[in-house]
Amino acid sequence: EAGVAQSPRYKIIEKRQSVAFWCNPISGHATLYWYQQILGQGPKLLIQFQNNGVVDDSQLPKDRFSAERLKGVDSTLKIQPAKLEDSAVYLCASSPIYGSYEQYFGPGTRLTVT
Amino acid sequence: GENVEQHPSTLSVQEGDSAVIKCTYSDSASNYFPWYKQELGKRPQLIIDIRSNVGEKKDQRIAVTLNKTAKHFSLHITETQPEDSAVYFCAAQRDNNDMRFGAGTRLTVKP
């Protein structure tokens, strides 16, 4: 079974620039999550999709962050404009069904904002 | 929302000793408690989990205990090995998949 795929793996941008991350979940997984993991901290949920609908985006800074999962499969997370404090690893995870189940994480995208 | 606290933040043990990491949660509706291991530069990987209808679960050298009344759960690693060195995260989750993670414990196993 192929795992969760993410790209790019690394990205360096200047503050005020825009950046986009892509995630392809495990085939058939209905639920998809984006997390932000700042160095030395646990992952923080940004947004959760069930198929192509948003279940929870209460911790997403909506003035600069956006995410979509148009066809209920792949997802993109965008930051526009980026700030220095956005430097973090952005993890995508997926889960087979709705409910309390194991989440499978992708390798993450390490973003550095200079 | 849910708040998960994890202690200690760092733990150093001698190879062969046991390691215990503790977490507390605030939301009584949480019913799923996974533990993830994250090696440097790698993705978090599930090592064990427990649901609210169970008090203890064991998998070889790893065990998790849950006290729903006190809202705390613990990870126990016995006979630690150098390859157990990593950051361990606890998490608590409700039925709507709103998973909240602890801040992590950096475990170092000295040979």
Side-chain angles (χ1 to χ4, degrees):
Chain A
E1 176 183 77
V4 176
Q6 288 187 248
S7 67
R9 293 296 311 278
Y10 306 91
K11 189 74 177 179
I12 300 174
I13 61 172
E14 294 182 351
K15 59 183 178 183
R16 291 188 289 275
Q17 285 187 323
S18 301
V19 64
F21 312 127
W22 173 82
C23 172
N24 181 243
I26 293 173
S27 177
H29 279 198
T31 311
L32 184 147
Y33 316 80
W34 283 102
Y35 289 91
Q36 179 192 59
Q37 186 174 25
I38 293 173
L39 186 65
Q41 298 182 17
K44 171 189 167 185
L45 179 69
L46 293 175
I47 190 168
Q48 173 188 337
F49 291 95
Q50 176 68 14
N51 296 312
N52 61 348
V54 175
V55 174
D56 182 2
D57 62 357
S58 58
Q59 298 192 96
L60 186 75
K62 299 180 185 64
D63 57 333
R64 299 185 299 108
F65 286 65
S66 64
E68 59 183 15
R69 193 186 185 200
L70 292 176
K71 297 183 179 179
V73 182
D74 294 5
S75 177
T76 55
L77 176 70
K78 297 179 182 178
I79 308 175
Q80 179 179 9
K83 292 185 176 181
L84 295 177
E85 57 261 38
D86 298 332
S87 294
V89 174
Y90 290 84
L91 293 164
C92 178
S94 69
S95 187
I97 57 177
Y98 190 71
S100 299
Y101 292 95
E102 176 180 0
Q103 296 183 17
Y104 298 81
F105 284 86
T109 296
R110 182 176 297 279
L111 173 68
T112 301
V113 182
T114 62
Chain B
E2 175 67 277
N3 182 40
V4 178
E5 294 191 359
Q6 182 171 348
H7 301 281
S9 57
T10 60
L11 179 60
S12 182
V13 300
Q14 207 67 36
E15 182 178 0
D17 287 350
S18 296
V20 180
I21 302 170
K22 299 181 179 181
C23 287
T24 60
Y25 62 99
S26 60
D27 188 347
S28 57
S30 293
N31 58 4
Y32 177 61
F33 306 91
W35 286 89
Y36 284 84
K37 176 183 180 182
Q38 187 174 30
E39 297 178 61
L40 188 61
K42 297 191 176 181
R43 73 191 75 188
Q45 292 199 307
L46 183 76
I47 55 171
I48 195 167
D49 55 12
I50 192 167
R51 297 190 182 275
S52 57
N53 58 349
V54 176
E56 185 174 356
K57 183 176 178 180
K58 190 173 181 181
D59 182 4
Q60 298 182 346
R61 298 185 297 109
I62 295 173
V64 57
T65 58
L66 171 65
N67 183 328
K68 280 217 73 180
T69 303
K71 294 185 198 166
H72 65 72
F73 56 113
S74 302
L75 177 71
H76 305 253
I77 305 175
T78 58
E79 300 171 25
T80 53
Q81 302 167 2
E83 49 266 38
D84 294 330
S85 296
V87 178
Y88 291 81
F89 293 99
C90 63
Q93 188 176 28
R94 296 178 292 169
D95 279 338
N96 67 356
N97 265 13
D98 182 13
M99 184 179 283
R100 300 298 173 103
F101 285 80
T105 296
R106 180 173 300 280
L107 174 65
T108 303
V109 180
K110 294 180 285 186

